[in-house]
Amino acid sequence: MDEKEKDKLEQEKQGGEDEYEKVCYVCRRPESKAGPMITMPGDMCLCHDCMQKAFDSVTNGSLDWSKIQNMPFMNMNLNDLKNTNIPEMQIPPRQKVKKKSDAKKLDFELKDIPAPHVIKRKLDEYVIGQEKAKRVISVAVYNHYKRVYMAAKGQLNEDVRIEKSNILMIGPTGSGKTYLVRMLAELLNVPLAIADATSLTEAGYIGDDIESVISKLLAAAGNDVTKAERGIVFIDEIDKIAKKKTVNTRDVSGESVQQELLKLLEGTNVEVPVGSNQKNALTPMETVNTDNILFICGGAFPDLEEIIKGRLAKQSTIGFASVLKDEFDRDPELLSKVTNEDLRAFGMIPEFLGRLPITVTLQKLTKELLVKILKEPRNAILKQYVKLLELDEVKLVFEDEALEWIAEEALKRDTGARALRAIMEDFMLDIMYEIPKDPNIGSVTITRAYLERKGGPAIEMRSGLLPHA
């Protein structure tokens, strides 16, 4: 199915055309920017500016419809134009903008905002460990949506002005940064955009402009500007835009990106393309205010621990109460001692750090936590495989020693929780392939010997026990 057919099906599914703004067929400006539209045959809309240009061309006697941008069908018959099912005649659904609703009309009340302990309890069902990070994020999100509520009620500038509480998340790969934010957005039922900082460059250079981050949020909100202005943006790999220490050319993907993000994080009106990451004459533009958008930036910050060690080692003294320089090598909580001084040494500019007042550190996962991740969350990997085999009326059991072996292997790969699924997929492939062949199999027990390639799983038939395969 090509792109045009997909757009047509999406448009049929969406329905409710009255909730979308009209978009000029020539200049691609929405009705909120270009003013009232004139509807032409074929459901084409033209703004007054483009219509005036057309009349001026007619008056001058130099009108050539075939040369007007975006008007390749103007030489068609008027009867043909009445056919509204021509895909080429329609604005793609992904570029349609919903009409702005009353900004003061909220879909929630103050009592509906979940308290921090409620948010954390829900996160506990999906995220194992990282207790401090979940507490900090729960409080920050709770305060943020109280701020959104006050802004909608016009109370934000009274007596005390409440500022935004953007968050910086620091943790090794696979520790749950992205997963934590994704679960948070699902639990709060707010639009979430996940952007990658590695693709961002300074305006005018090859790569995505800063506005593309807000474009993704607008798309996640169904092109509803009011809803997007209360969403969450997670910028991953934020450590990749650190200031380059040795570079002879313009740093277009490092410090320049940090500089351009400043206004976005603080709060400003930004012009973003709708349904595209590129600004051009064929893409509608919409204004989004970022004052009430919560920004969460996350990164692994490799070698940051070495910077922290270097700072702490300078504080070592001589004598019986001195601190040994190698003492911090064994400190599992070393990352939690990070300061803005360490992040500046890493390459983050102070203005950028100042707009991320809350710093959350996630710890590296231990063997015990990895075992819990395998079996405790509501969407745990083991529960998924158990459910899949239940559909084949087969009981799947994992021995505790087998789970410990999987956790030990994941630690060796040093990619955090992501390694668990890779290991499970590898060893469950043969099980998932062979089990459906024999309808007499009643249960399968995964043993450590099977995972170590020294034996096979314990298979129990419905009529009795079969020796190890």
Side-chain angles (χ1 to χ4, degrees):
M1 182 182 295
D2 59 17
E3 192 68 26
K4 295 176 182 177
E5 292 176 342
K6 289 181 180 178
D7 286 339
K8 183 179 178 181
L9 288 175
E10 186 177 350
Q11 187 175 10
E12 291 175 353
K13 288 179 182 179
Q14 287 180 348
E17 294 296 320
D18 291 340
E19 64 181 358
Y20 290 97
E21 289 191 53
K22 295 179 180 179
V23 179
C24 178
Y25 197 79
V26 177
C27 66
R28 286 300 201 269
R29 291 184 299 169
E31 196 171 19
S32 59
K33 291 188 174 297
M37 297 282 177
I38 300 172
T39 303
M40 302 287 289
D43 279 349
M44 288 189 302
C45 299
L46 294 178
C47 66
H48 282 280
D49 291 339
C50 294
M51 184 63 77
Q52 186 62 49
K53 290 178 183 178
F55 283 137
D56 291 343
S57 299
V58 171
T59 304
N60 297 333
S62 58
L63 179 63
D64 187 353
W65 290 102
S66 62
K67 294 181 180 180
I68 295 181
Q69 187 182 25
N70 300 338
M71 301 292 281
F73 297 98
M74 290 308 296
N75 57 356
M76 292 178 61
N77 215 326
L78 187 61
N79 293 327
D80 295 333
L81 286 174
K82 292 179 180 179
N83 182 10
T84 59
N85 293 324
I86 302 175
E88 292 82 356
M89 301 292 290
Q90 300 168 348
I91 300 295
R94 64 177 179 274
Q95 291 186 352
K96 290 186 175 182
V97 182
K98 286 190 176 181
K99 294 179 180 178
K100 289 186 179 180
S101 57
D102 186 1
K104 294 185 178 181
K105 185 179 180 182
L106 284 170
D107 53 1
F108 64 89
E109 292 294 331
L110 189 60
K111 60 181 178 63
D112 297 328
I113 304 175
H117 70 279
V118 177
I119 297 175
K120 182 183 178 299
R121 187 171 64 242
K122 291 181 178 180
L123 288 175
D124 287 339
E125 298 179 4
Y126 295 93
V127 182
I128 300 299
Q130 313 299 359
E131 294 299 315
K132 184 178 180 181
K134 287 187 287 190
R135 287 169 65 91
V136 172
I137 289 176
S138 298
V139 172
V141 169
Y142 178 63
N143 290 337
H144 172 74
Y145 280 98
K146 283 195 293 187
R147 181 179 183 275
V148 170
Y149 177 83
M150 292 179 66
K153 299 297 182 181
Q155 304 171 357
L156 195 60
N157 293 320
E158 295 182 359
D159 297 337
V160 179
R161 177 172 176 82
I162 302 177
E163 298 292 341
K164 287 175 62 174
S165 299
N166 296 322
I167 305 171
L168 175 63
M169 298 176 65
I170 303 173
T173 179
S175 58
K177 298 184 295 295
T178 307
Y179 187 69
L180 192 60
V181 177
R182 186 180 291 117
M183 289 296 104
L184 184 67
E186 288 185 12
L187 295 174
L188 296 174
N189 192 26
V190 295
L192 167 70
I194 299 179
D196 195 333
T198 56
S199 63
L200 301 177
T201 58
E202 186 181 355
Y205 290 84
I206 294 176
D208 290 340
D209 291 341
I210 304 301
E211 292 82 1
S212 66
V213 175
I214 307 300
S215 292
K216 292 179 180 179
L217 180 63
L218 187 59
N223 289 352
D224 188 337
V225 176
T226 304
K227 190 175 180 180
E229 289 178 344
R230 298 166 184 158
I232 298 176
V233 172
F234 179 63
I235 306 178
D236 204 1
E237 307 292 349
I238 200 68
D239 52 308
K240 303 304 187 292
I241 62 171
K243 186 165 53 176
K244 308 297 187 296
K245 294 180 174 61
T246 56
V247 62
N248 297 324
T249 58
R250 187 176 179 86
D251 190 7
V252 299
S253 61
E255 183 180 0
S256 297
V257 176
Q258 293 186 57
Q259 295 284 359
E260 291 201 16
L261 278 171
L262 297 182
K263 279 295 180 185
L264 207 65
L265 296 174
E266 189 173 12
T268 186
N269 291 320
V270 57
E271 291 277 338
V272 300
V274 180
S276 173
N277 288 338
Q278 309 259 335
K279 296 180 180 178
N280 54 59
L282 302 181
T283 304
M285 301 291 292
E286 192 55 66
T287 302
V288 178
N289 186 283
T290 66
D291 282 342
N292 294 322
I293 296 176
L294 179 63
F295 287 90
I296 303 176
C297 300
F301 289 86
D303 300 327
L304 181 61
E305 291 184 344
E306 298 300 323
I307 296 175
I308 299 173
K309 288 178 188 177
R311 174 176 56 82
L312 295 176
K314 291 179 183 178
Q315 302 173 2
S316 300
T317 57
I318 299 174
F320 291 105
S322 63
V323 180
L324 298 177
K325 289 187 176 181
D326 63 346
E327 180 176 339
F328 304 111
D329 295 338
R330 302 181 297 273
D331 188 357
E333 304 290 331
L334 182 62
L335 205 58
S336 63
K337 297 180 173 65
V338 65
T339 64
N340 276 5
E341 178 186 345
D342 302 322
L343 293 170
R344 289 179 64 178
F346 186 86
M348 312 307 290
I349 62 176
E351 302 94 319
F352 182 78
L353 295 174
R355 287 163 173 80
L356 296 166
I358 300 176
T359 301
V360 183
T361 56
L362 284 80
Q363 301 304 319
K364 190 173 182 179
L365 298 175
T366 62
K367 174 183 172 181
E368 292 73 19
L369 286 177
L370 288 171
V371 172
K372 288 184 178 180
I373 291 172
L374 279 170
K375 59 183 182 181
E376 290 186 8
R378 290 185 61 180
N379 57 346
I381 304 173
L382 294 190
K383 294 180 181 178
Q384 295 178 36
Y385 277 109
V386 169
K387 187 65 177 178
L388 287 172
L389 285 180
E390 274 183 5
L391 299 177
D392 292 326
E393 297 182 353
V394 177
K395 182 180 179 182
L396 177 64
V397 180
F398 278 82
E399 291 184 348
D400 290 339
E401 291 185 355
L403 297 179
E404 291 178 1
W405 185 92
I406 295 173
E408 292 168 2
E409 189 67 20
L411 287 175
K412 294 177 184 176
R413 300 193 182 188
D414 200 26
T415 55
R418 291 189 179 93
L420 296 175
R421 178 166 288 278
I423 296 170
M424 290 288 293
E425 293 282 356
D426 183 24
F427 285 98
M428 289 300 296
L429 176 63
D430 291 338
I431 300 291
M432 303 300 291
Y433 183 82
E434 297 293 338
I435 290 300
K437 288 184 179 180
D438 192 346
N440 295 319
I441 295 178
S443 69
V444 178
T445 303
I446 305 299
T447 62
R448 181 163 185 146
Y450 169 65
L451 298 177
E452 291 177 343
R453 309 291 188 184
K454 296 179 180 178
I459 299 176
E460 184 177 350
M461 310 300 286
R462 299 187 192 278
S463 56
L465 183 66
L466 192 69
H468 282 45

